[in-house]
Amino acid sequence: LTMRKPQSVKALENLGRVRLSPSFFMRDFLHSEIANFHGLPNIPDDPDAAIAVGRKLCNELLEPLNTTFGRIAIRSAYRSCSINQFGNEHGYNCASNEANYAGHIWDKPDADGLHGATACIVLPWFTTRYEQGADWRALAYWIHDHLPYSELQFFPTLCAFNINWHEQPKKIIHS
């Protein structure tokens, strides 16, 4: 199935209905506060590429987390080049587009021509424990020992973290 960039609500609905894994649909990853607040579309230029890496992210990383820790809250995931650039230019904690290719920008390969996808997520089960004093590193090392992630970046608010799937995983943890 080849999908063009949606040019209508119906086409965007169809993109949103694409099932990436047993628990996740493409729609789950298209929400953007930047896009919503500023009235800008957050739509992949290359839906097929976004779907392909989204399936890897979901099946190899998010489904095992969901099975082990329960519900996943997605904070930020796919960003179009235009949304990411807008966020970068307006101080919304978005790296440059080039730095986010194969990251939050799922439908563009990185400088090495490799593909990847990032989602910023919260595990409510772990957030409760984190608020009671659990160390974020316990979760980081569980992921390190069990999943084929490329990069993890942990944030203090809600113990949210970016998790990245990449064709050539780096196995790097940041906080």
Side-chain angles (χ1 to χ4, degrees):
L1 177 69
T2 299
M3 190 172 281
R4 294 191 336 249
K5 181 175 181 175
Q7 300 294 319
S8 67
V9 171
K10 178 80 173 140
L12 186 56
E13 286 176 343
N14 289 337
L15 174 61
R17 289 182 181 121
V18 172
R19 194 167 194 173
L20 300 178
S21 70
S23 304
F24 300 100
F25 293 85
M26 189 66 190
R27 174 179 284 119
D28 300 324
F29 299 93
L30 296 177
H31 174 79
S32 163
E33 277 91 0
I34 295 169
N36 285 351
F37 188 81
H38 293 283
L40 303 168
N42 187 39
I43 301 170
D45 290 324
D46 185 346
D48 290 331
I51 290 165
V53 295
R55 285 185 169 141
K56 296 287 193 177
L57 173 71
C58 290
N59 286 299
E60 295 185 24
L61 301 177
L62 301 185
E63 286 293 348
L65 287 170
N66 188 54
T67 297
T68 304
F69 299 104
R71 181 183 173 271
I72 292 175
I74 300 165
R75 297 283 309 128
S76 171
Y78 173 81
R79 289 187 203 136
S80 67
C81 289
S82 58
I83 292 299
N84 192 79
Q85 182 174 339
F86 185 91
N88 177 266
E89 291 171 354
H90 292 85
Y92 290 126
N93 295 320
C94 298
S96 70
N97 279 4
E98 292 74 21
N100 258 325
Y101 292 156
H104 281 292
I105 300 172
W106 296 8
D107 52 341
K108 301 277 189 219
D110 63 20
D112 296 320
L114 299 170
H115 298 90
T118 295
C120 183
I121 65 171
V122 171
L123 301 176
W125 177 89
F126 190 79
T127 298
T128 301
R129 280 137 191 88
Y130 179 73
E131 290 167 348
Q132 296 167 349
D135 191 330
W136 65 270
R137 289 173 290 198
L139 179 58
Y141 285 107
W142 185 92
I143 294 168
H144 182 79
D145 290 342
H146 293 91
L147 300 178
Y149 75 97
S150 183
E151 293 186 65
L152 297 173
Q153 182 176 10
F154 283 81
F155 307 105
T157 303
L158 301 174
C159 198
F161 61 98
N162 284 348
I163 185 165
N164 172 259
W165 175 89
H166 194 271
E167 285 183 291
Q168 287 186 350
K170 298 175 188 116
K171 295 282 223 176
I172 298 172
I173 300 172
H174 310 274
S175 75

